[in-house]
């Protein structure tokens, strides 16, 4: 993670509040009485699913929320957190299934709070509406939902880039942000976490090819604001079909805007392809369906398409290397951190084994089938 706004980088920045302390925080900051609270998984923030007593909510509002306690490093960047939150509010107003913040008792969208047992550290706290639905990670993905996710990725970035003009948006220029897909070369400083093995050798090849083939082309890619983390846990769906064998899904929620930054449209489709590969029974096939959905809104240029293979490999490298690095810092959170690694290494190795030409042929032919009607023989 990057640091800024005068805060010194710290090795351990993830909050570690207990449920009772989190419930007291909700009451103190937002004036709501918690009737039930439970932890939610998170990479480096701390999240709780919260239900509140209706009779304490005199101002009206939801019954369920997500209490989001931002890590102490990002909590030093109020402009960045405001940009993320304002973007969520903007998207909700535009009809996207995005959470919105519950205002504090002072009428603000967030509050910097101390936590007992955490020394002098302070954490930015928000209470966001709870979005119903099932994470994509828990369903059997099919072509239809992959297409819808690709379409969502393009529509979301397009709306943010063309219509989101809040003053805080300038904070989304995060030059050294490690999760921005332009910054795959920065993985060099974290690669030690992999040890010495065949996986490290492949990641080193990805980084070197990225430096040589993608970095020189970055200025030619169309710029935009990226959500940056449309993974299988951050997209919620519900089924609009009664058929158990052939369910049709619709996206019911988009979560976690903490990786937002200025990037490129092609980054978002690459990120979506990579994460949809993780849970798919046909990992190499899903890329074409995601790409078709994305290009139904925003066709890629020739140079953007030519970079797609290495951008997907680059995102695999980011996810796998940074998960290994973070697991060394937070061994108690290793199970969640290593979710992608369970199948991610297999997919990355397979992509490299097949090679760019073969993988692209599969993706591009699948995408083309959406726009070229099948002719009878």
């Amino acid at each position: 993670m990057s640091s800024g706004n005068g805060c010194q980088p710290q090795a351990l920045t993830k909050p570690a509040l207990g449920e009772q302390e989190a419930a007291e925080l909700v009451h103190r900051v937002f004036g709501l009485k918690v009737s039930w609270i439970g932890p939610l998984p998170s990479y480096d923030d701390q999240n709780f699913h919260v239900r509140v007593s209706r009779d304490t909510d005199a101002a009206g509002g939801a019954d369920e929320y997500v209490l989001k306690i931002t890590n102490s490093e990002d909590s030093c960047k109020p402009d960045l957190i405001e940009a993320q939150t304002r973007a969520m509010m903007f998207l909700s107003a535009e009809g996207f299934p995005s959470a919105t913040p519950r205002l504090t008792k002072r009428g603000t969208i967030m509050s910097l709070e101390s936590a007992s047992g955490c020394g002098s550290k302070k954490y930015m706290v928000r209470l966001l509406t709870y979005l119903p639905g099932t994470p994509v990670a828990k369903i059997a993905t099919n072509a239809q939902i992959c297409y819808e996710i690709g379409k969502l990725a393009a529509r979301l970035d397009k709306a943010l880039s063309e219509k989101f003009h809040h003053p805080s948006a300038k904070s989304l220029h995060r030059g050294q942000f490690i999760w921005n897909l332009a910054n795959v070369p920065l993985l060099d400083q974290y690669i030690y976490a992999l040890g010495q093995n065949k996986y490290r050798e492949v990641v080193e090849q990805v980084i070197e090819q990225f430096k040589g083939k993608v970095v020189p082309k970055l200025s030619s890619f169309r710029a935009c604001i990226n959500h940056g983390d449309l993974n299988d846990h951050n997209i919620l769906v519900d089924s609009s079909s009664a058929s158990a064998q052939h369910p049709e899904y619709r996206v019911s929620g988009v979560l976690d805007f903490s990786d937002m930054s200025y990037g490129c449209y092609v980054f978002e489709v690459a990120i979506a392809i990579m994460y949809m590969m993780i849970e798919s029974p046909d990992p190499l096939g899903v890329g074409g369906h995601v790409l078709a959905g994305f290009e139904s809104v925003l066709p890629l240029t020739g140079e953007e398409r030519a970079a797609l293979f290495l951008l997907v490999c680059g995102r695999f490298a980011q996810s796998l290397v940074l998960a290994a690095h973070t697991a060394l810092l937070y061994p108690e959170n290793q199970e969640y951190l290593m979710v992608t690694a369970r199948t991610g290494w297999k997919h990355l190795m397979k992509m490299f084994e097949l090679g760019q030409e073969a993988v692209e042929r599969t993706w591009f032919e699948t995408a083309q089938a959406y726009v070229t009607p099948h002719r009878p023989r």
Side-chain angles (χ1 to χ4, degrees):
M1 294 176 59
S2 59
S3 62
N5 290 2
C7 282
Q8 295 298 313
Q10 302 174 43
L12 298 174
T13 66
K14 185 181 174 79
L17 278 69
E19 291 181 8
Q20 181 62 37
E21 188 175 5
E24 291 170 356
L25 195 63
V26 172
H27 187 259
R28 184 174 82 245
V29 178
F30 300 95
L32 300 176
K33 183 178 180 182
V34 172
S35 60
W36 178 89
I37 188 168
L40 292 169
S42 179
Y43 202 92
D44 47 22
D45 298 328
Q46 190 176 22
N47 298 330
F48 291 93
H49 181 188
V50 175
R51 295 194 185 105
V52 300
S53 300
R54 198 68 165 156
D55 57 357
T56 66
D57 193 3
D63 293 321
E64 294 184 81
Y65 295 92
V66 172
L67 175 66
K68 191 166 189 68
I69 307 167
T70 301
N71 66 81
S72 60
E73 189 175 335
D74 280 351
S75 290
C76 295
K77 308 167 191 173
D79 286 351
L80 178 62
I81 299 175
E82 176 157 7
Q84 296 162 4
T85 312
R86 296 290 180 184
M88 293 161 64
M89 296 164 69
F90 160 79
L91 289 169
S92 179
E94 289 285 312
F96 289 85
S98 176
T100 54
R102 166 80 185 214
L103 298 183
T104 67
K105 290 194 291 187
R106 301 196 313 271
T108 58
I109 60 174
M110 58 188 180
S111 181
L112 190 63
E113 299 290 330
S114 300
S116 63
C118 296
S120 60
K121 290 181 181 177
K122 291 191 174 184
Y123 303 104
M124 199 67 79
V125 174
R126 287 171 291 169
L127 197 62
L128 306 174
T129 50
Y130 181 83
L131 298 175
T134 302
V136 169
K138 294 187 177 180
I139 66 168
T141 56
N142 56 27
Q144 179 261 332
I145 190 57
C146 289
Y147 180 91
E148 292 300 324
I149 288 168
K151 188 175 181 179
L152 168 77
R155 288 180 57 240
L156 191 148
D157 282 14
K158 196 167 186 288
L160 286 172
S161 302
E162 294 178 356
K163 299 181 183 179
F164 179 59
H165 303 302
H166 194 272
S168 63
K170 63 182 183 297
S171 65
L172 298 174
H173 289 283
R174 306 167 74 180
Q176 296 298 298
F177 181 48
I178 192 62
W179 285 105
N180 188 303
L181 203 40
N183 290 332
V184 166
L186 296 182
L187 291 176
D188 282 335
Q189 62 191 298
Y190 300 100
I191 203 168
Y192 74 91
L194 298 179
Q196 296 289 342
N197 50 48
K198 62 181 180 179
Y199 296 139
R200 177 171 176 158
E201 292 172 9
V202 169
V203 169
E204 288 173 339
Q205 289 182 58
V206 170
I207 295 171
E208 288 310 305
Q209 290 189 31
F210 198 98
K211 289 176 181 177
K213 297 180 180 179
V214 177
V215 171
K217 299 287 187 181
L218 287 174
S219 62
S220 70
F221 300 159
R222 289 167 297 170
C224 71
I225 296 175
N226 289 142
H227 174 281
D229 197 16
L230 289 177
N231 69 47
D232 46 334
H233 292 271
N234 286 342
I235 301 174
L236 304 177
V237 296
D238 62 25
S239 175
S240 57
S241 169
S243 169
Q245 289 186 324
H246 303 286
E248 286 217 358
Y249 295 102
R250 69 174 188 89
V251 176
S252 62
V254 180
L255 308 178
D256 197 353
F257 286 73
S258 59
D259 284 355
M260 280 181 70
S261 66
Y262 276 96
C264 304
Y265 283 112
V266 69
F267 291 179
E268 200 76 271
V269 67
I271 291 166
I273 287 173
M274 176 260 164
Y275 285 118
M276 290 308 103
M277 289 177 67
I278 295 297
E279 301 293 340
S280 174
D282 179 24
L284 289 175
V286 302
H289 302 294
V290 176
L291 178 61
F294 193 93
E295 290 198 316
S296 73
V297 176
L298 197 77
L300 297 183
T301 66
E303 285 191 322
E304 289 166 343
R305 271 192 163 213
L308 196 54
F309 175 83
L310 278 175
L311 287 169
V312 174
C313 290
R315 185 53 167 206
F316 268 118
Q318 284 179 319
S319 182
L320 295 164
V321 170
L322 295 174
H325 166 73
T326 310
L328 295 177
L329 299 179
Y330 308 112
E332 74 284 356
N333 202 27
Q334 183 166 351
E335 182 177 355
Y336 174 72
L337 291 168
M338 302 305 285
V339 164
T340 300
R342 289 176 196 146
T343 55
W345 284 116
K346 180 176 68 176
H347 297 333
L348 178 58
M349 302 295 275
K350 185 67 174 178
M351 287 179 70
F352 249 64
E353 177 188 326
L354 291 172
Q356 179 170 349
E357 186 178 342
V359 173
E360 285 183 342
R361 187 185 310 119
T362 299
W363 289 348
F364 297 162
E365 287 179 356
T366 300
Q368 185 61 34
Y370 279 83
V371 295
T372 305
H374 293 288
R375 296 178 181 175
R377 294 183 178 179

